[in-house]
Structure formats: structure tokens, C-alpha cells
Amino acid sequence: MTEKQLPHLVFGGELVDLDRNEFVDLGKLDIVGIFPNYASAQAAWKAKAQATVDNAQMRYFIVHLHRFMDPA
């Protein structure tokens, strides 16, 4: 039996300011990828976050796509 698919999206970009999640340029978002589970998405998120640690305005996010596909 295979595991239930729980896709997660990891993306990020430079924020206008640190007090809100508004991006400087939506056209320049870094779409890291879609991952089959939270653990692999978190590993990708962590790698990107650590790689951009010198830019305080950069933020990466994990979106639980499976929740949009099956809200129940």
C-alpha cells in the first residue's frame, strides 16, 4: 500500500517589510517546488531559508496544498 499523497508547495521571496507578508515583486517569487509530504517540504524550506539568511527581507513559506484539494 502506498502512502496518501499530501502535496506541499515551498516558495519564497523578498518582503516589503517584516511586519506583513507582502512581496516586493510577485514576478520574482522563488518557486522551490512541490513535495510529496511535509517532511520533505520542510527540508527544502530550511535549506532555502538558511541559504538566504543574509537577506533579512527574504522569507520562504510552506503551503499545504492537500488542504485545498480536500478541505475535509
Side-chain angles (χ1 to χ4, degrees):
M1 184 173 144
T2 61
E3 286 186 39
K4 182 177 178 184
Q5 291 183 351
L6 300 172
H8 290 75
L9 167 67
V10 178
F11 76 99
E14 190 168 2
L15 298 179
V16 172
D17 67 52
L18 300 177
D19 294 327
R20 59 187 203 270
N21 293 333
E22 181 180 342
F23 296 100
V24 171
D25 186 348
L26 288 175
K28 293 184 179 178
L29 287 181
D30 180 10
I31 308 299
V32 179
I34 297 175
F35 300 87
N37 54 51
Y38 183 77
S40 59
Q42 186 179 36
W45 167 84
K46 185 176 180 179
K48 281 294 193 170
Q50 288 178 340
T52 59
V53 72
D54 290 337
N55 182 349
Q57 301 294 107
M58 284 295 285
R59 289 291 187 273
Y60 282 86
F61 300 90
I62 298 174
V63 178
H64 301 265
L65 292 178
H66 60 95
R67 292 183 184 166
F68 293 102
M69 297 165 62
D70 183 14

